[in-house]
Every structure is written in structure tokens, then in C-alpha cells.
Amino acid sequence: MENFEPKIIGFLCNWCSYAGADLAGVSRLQYPANLRVVRVMCSGRVDPTFVFKALDGGADGVLIAGCHPGDCHYSDGNYNTMKRYPLMLQVLEQMGVDKRRVRLEWISAAEGPQFASIVNEFTEQIRQLGPFKKGERTERGAEVG
Amino acid sequence: MAKLKLALYWAAACGGCDVAVLDVHEKILDIAGVADIVLWPVATDHKYADVEKMAPGSIDVCLFNGAVRNSENEHMARLLREKSRVMVAFGSCAVSGGIPALANFKQREDILQRVYMDTPSTVNPGQVLPVTGCPVNEGVLHLPEFFDFVHSLNQVVEVDYYVPGCPPTAQRIWEVVQAIAAGNLPGAGATVGALEKSLCDECPREKSNKKIKRFYRSHEIIPDPHRCLLEQGLLCMGPVTRGGCGAQCINANMPCRGCYGPLPGVIDQGAKYISSIGAVIDARTPEEAEEILAGIADPAGTFYRFGMATALLKGANR
């Protein structure tokens, strides 16, 4: 466990969060290299299938980041993400996945420092949770029936 | 043309698929006209030993219904695969686990505990659980081993065709049988007896702009028979489910339960449904969204009602 380096997949929206990550980079802010970034046009494009597939394929955590509500380049995409996120968490719990492994954040193009601190914090959280083992038992996964 | 040798087998399933075959009514005689039935436990008196004696490949088509949940199911799946030229996963349970695979939300021990100890009607003072072998005077009696996980057929043996549905409708079964008899099947691995488009495509209801303010369970509302059920707050799986069933549930004023499985190209029906439901909820804040979503009693059980064995995350007992 001590040498555990979490694998985290980050789906970042092209217009805000990816630019925020870029700003963190050009500002030379330090954050862990555990995040593997996938640039998507909009957080609304992040089908829950992507998240499930990432976890199924060996990720320990998934970060979805998009524009702040009201700022979406496609006006509504991030609202769709916001609305299905709690439903996705419920299903994850029932499937026996700790919902702390999947996180949604709004990060604007100007928020380089926020991006770095979110990645720091989330990486630390996943480190605490340990490697994602299929079949980890959650309250909901064991209770529903 | 020589008559086809046809086998139908029933693994972990309710028996509805077998009854659905019988539901082709008098056409069953036409099926008997083009095919010799070499195994059909629900209707004929062939024994497993008869199948074991057959040469490999001597069954032309096997329609295998039911999931693989115990060692007997697995044995028969392997045996019939060896003896059959064409293996068809017939019905939702064989295709993707079906209702039996909802057990994948639980660990094996939890299921045995519930079924043999805790149900209100159970009297089991000796705390007896099923065992795979029991010595008696005449020898040892065997029971199949209960697996940890409910599998779809293609997780155990190679499958050539998939006929979804819980059960497949009689009309579609008849079409599939005709296609088999005529040698008119698509490339191996195809889903037959279903459409390439969603159920919404054949749903006769009027669809306007979906904006859902609250969800209802089907006993809480008598829906308008002409309007889209999803728009009325019923969790209709139509948008992510293959058509082909003739919209039977919809026509009976019941929402689609998703038994015809995911659309072509969709690898996880439940994930796709989360996506589509998210888009139609009428909320502007996370709090509002959560309040509306609280009306969904058992999201995973509803969205993966027929597909838990093949779901990406596969449940708590993987």
C-alpha cells in the first residue's frame, strides 16, 4: 500500500477546465502526476459509460471537470452533467463502488490554482481509499435488495 | 432438404422462454415439420444421456435460454455447445443475465442466508443449507454447485446468435425459426429477432418535449395512454432499448423494462440510461436534481434489470 500510486482519469472540458489545467501548467504549479487527462469538448459529453469503463479498466478514481454553471460553451452541457452525476453516484454505490472515487468539479480557464489544489486533494483522497478492487463493499451495495 | 436437428434448453430462467416458443400456437406443427427436436426438457422426454451420446456438431441449432448460475447450467451449456453447430442465446437471461443476474448485487452467502434462513415463510431450525453431495444408503446424491456470479451464456461458451427479449415475442421467434430453416441468417455474432433502432421508434405514443419534474413508480399513477410515459415521469427504458417487441408493454400502459437489451454500439445499457435521464430532468441546481432523483427507488436494479451479467461494473459480487 505504501507504494500505491493511484491511477486517476480526468475528463476535462475543452473550454474551461482543460484551459484551467493548462494555466496551472504554465504557472508552474505543482500537482501530482497521477491524473491522466482526457480532453473532451464538454463535460456533458462524458457519458457515464466512460466513467464505468475507466473504473472497469483499472482506474482508481475519475475526475470530471467542466465549466461553471452558466458558462457552458454549449449553454446546457454542464447542466446535463450536474443532473446525472448524483444518479451515477447512486448506481456506483449499488454496484459496490465507493462514490468518493468519482468527483465532479467546475473549474474555469482562469482557475489554475484551483485545478492544482483539486488534483492534489483528490489524489490524496484516492490514495487513502486505496486501489480500486472490484467488489469493494459499500453500504448501499450490501443493503439494497 | 434434410430436417433440422433442433435442441431447446432451459438453464437458470423462469420458463417463460419455453412457453413463448409454445405460444407460436399451431405453427409449432410447422416447426416440427422443418425440425426434429432432439432435446426440449419442458416438452419432450429426451434425457441428458441422449445428448451425451450424440456426435459433436450433430445438432444443427440449439436455442439456449436461461443464465448460467450453477454447475448443471454450465455443464449443459458446454455439452450443447460441443454438440451444436449453431448456438443461440435465446432470451434476456442467456443474452445478458436477465432477472437471475440481479443476484449479482449480492454476495453468494447473503443470498443463501436470505433464501434458506431469513424469509418470513422459512422454517429451518437446523439451519440446513444445500450441499453438493449427500451420502445415502444407495450411494451419494448430487446437487449442482451454486455459483458466486450469474453469467450470461457467452461468458461460458461461444455464442453464434443472440435473440433478446423476456421472453422473445412469438412472432419474432417464428421469424427466427423460418430464417434458420431457410439458412438465411446474418453473420455470426449478430442479434436477430430485434430491430436496430430503439423502442421509441416503434412506440405509438405522442412525444413532445421531455421535462421531468418528478418520477412515479407504476402503482402511483394511471398514465395518459397517448402520451410518452417518460414525459409522465415513469422510468421507461425505451430510449436505450432495442425495438422489436412490438411495444407490448407500452401498449398495455406500462413503461419499457429494457428486456430487448442495449442498442447496437451501446456497451452498457444502464450507463446510457443514466445519461439520457440526466438530460430530461427539469432542474437547474444539484439540490433540485437530487430531489427529483430521490423518486427513483432502485436505480441500478431498474437500469440493469436484464443486463447485470454483462454490465461494465457487474455488481457487488464480481
Side-chain angles (χ1 to χ4, degrees):
Chain A
M1 277 293 267
E2 280 180 14
N3 296 324
F4 167 59
E5 281 301 333
K7 283 201 254 321
I8 301 172
I9 305 294
F11 294 105
L12 309 187
C13 102
N14 179 61
W15 304 101
C16 297
S17 308
Y18 190 84
D22 207 24
L23 180 62
V26 296
S27 312
R28 300 185 170 238
L29 298 171
Q30 295 278 322
Y31 63 89
N34 301 71
L35 187 80
R36 276 81 160 162
V37 171
V38 179
R39 174 154 64 160
V40 290
M41 290 310 286
C42 177
S43 63
R45 178 66 185 92
V46 184
D47 191 305
T49 310
F50 300 179
V51 178
F52 292 4
K53 187 141 185 155
L55 290 168
D56 184 51
D60 303 301
V62 178
L63 173 69
I64 306 165
C67 307
H68 285 272
D71 288 353
C72 178
H73 191 76
Y74 308 102
S75 73
D76 265 351
N78 55 358
Y79 283 100
N80 287 342
T81 313
M82 178 197 80
K83 290 185 286 178
R84 65 190 173 217
Y85 177 67
L87 187 57
M88 180 163 67
L89 293 189
Q90 283 183 42
V91 170
L92 283 170
E93 282 265 291
Q94 285 186 271
M95 290 285 190
V97 180
D98 194 311
K99 65 182 176 187
R100 287 172 294 179
R101 292 188 184 279
V102 180
R103 183 151 167 178
L104 173 64
E105 291 287 348
W106 310 129
I107 302 165
S108 84
E111 292 176 334
Q114 282 88 333
F115 174 80
S117 81
I118 285 164
V119 176
N120 270 310
E121 195 192 309
F122 189 47
T123 306
E124 193 43 45
Q125 184 176 334
I126 299 295
R127 205 184 293 278
Q128 296 300 322
L129 287 172
F132 171 53
K133 284 196 293 290
K134 294 185 171 187
E136 63 184 7
R137 299 189 81 169
T138 57
E139 217 177 303
R140 193 99 201 263
E143 289 304 318
V144 165
Chain B
M1 197 178 93
K3 278 174 94 175
L4 283 173
K5 291 212 174 348
L6 182 67
L8 295 95
Y9 187 72
W10 168 359
C14 67
C17 286
D18 282 307
V19 174
V21 176
L22 293 168
D23 273 348
V24 301
H25 299 308
E26 68 283 355
K27 291 203 187 83
I28 195 83
L29 299 174
D30 297 336
I31 294 179
V34 294
D36 282 332
I37 290 164
V38 296
L39 176 76
W40 192 6
V42 80
T44 64
D45 193 24
H46 299 94
K47 305 295 185 202
Y48 291 175
D50 301 332
V51 182
E52 278 157 14
K53 281 181 212 140
M54 292 176 190
S58 60
I59 298 172
D60 291 304
V61 179
C62 175
L63 302 181
F64 191 103
N65 78 74
V68 178
R69 118 83 71 226
N70 67 32
S71 55
E72 183 196 20
N73 304 151
E74 188 192 14
H75 169 71
M76 287 307 289
R78 291 191 193 285
L79 180 67
L80 286 164
R81 173 68 272 188
E82 184 201 336
K83 307 295 183 188
S84 309
R85 288 197 301 113
V86 175
M87 184 63 133
V88 181
F90 187 82
S92 305
C93 298
V95 171
S96 56
I99 298 283
L102 286 172
N104 291 351
F105 283 118
K106 293 285 182 180
Q107 310 285 346
R108 178 180 187 272
E109 289 64 37
D110 299 338
I111 296 166
L112 293 174
Q113 175 71 27
R114 170 76 185 159
V115 172
Y116 290 96
M117 313 289 174
D118 298 344
T119 49
S121 59
T122 298
V123 180
N124 187 1
Q127 306 277 292
V128 181
L129 284 173
V131 289
T132 51
C134 173
V136 292
N137 287 340
E138 293 76 12
V140 181
L141 292 172
H142 290 284
L143 270 180
E145 190 192 347
F146 185 79
F147 290 161
D148 292 333
F149 187 81
V150 180
H151 301 272
S152 63
L153 184 60
N154 69 358
Q155 289 168 344
V156 177
V157 296
E158 203 177 315
V159 169
D160 300 305
Y161 295 103
Y162 299 86
V163 181
C166 181
T169 66
Q171 177 59 33
R172 291 285 171 180
I173 293 171
W174 177 237
E175 286 166 18
V176 169
V177 170
Q178 280 181 309
I180 292 169
N184 186 21
L185 280 167
T191 294
V192 290
L195 304 181
E196 300 288 294
K197 288 185 173 176
S198 79
L199 177 78
C200 297
D201 194 57
E202 61 177 352
C203 172
R205 287 168 182 263
E206 191 182 311
K207 300 155 194 87
S208 49
N209 194 15
K210 291 182 179 53
K211 280 285 167 220
I212 297 164
K213 270 286 177 206
R214 75 158 275 199
F215 288 104
Y216 295 90
R217 301 177 76 177
S218 45
H219 65 273
E220 294 174 323
I221 183 177
I222 297 176
D224 177 336
H226 306 294
R227 276 181 59 217
C228 169
L229 289 165
L230 194 50
E231 284 173 14
Q232 298 182 64
L234 283 156
L235 281 170
C236 179
M237 295 284 287
V240 296
T241 303
R242 274 178 188 267
C245 58
Q248 291 184 105
C249 297
I250 305 296
N251 290 328
N253 226 7
M254 282 296 285
C256 171
R257 293 151 43 99
C259 73
Y260 265 59
L263 287 159
V266 173
I267 53 173
D268 192 290
Q269 192 177 9
K272 205 44 123 185
Y273 197 58
I274 296 170
S275 182
S276 63
I277 283 293
V280 297
I281 291 169
D282 192 6
R284 291 304 269 182
T285 64
E287 294 73 31
E288 258 182 296
E290 282 191 47
E291 200 186 316
I292 297 171
L293 291 168
I296 303 178
D298 175 12
T302 308
F303 307 162
Y304 293 96
R305 189 181 262 140
F306 297 94
M308 265 311 276
T310 53
L312 274 172
L313 292 171
K314 295 195 180 63
N317 74 344
R318 286 152 303 174

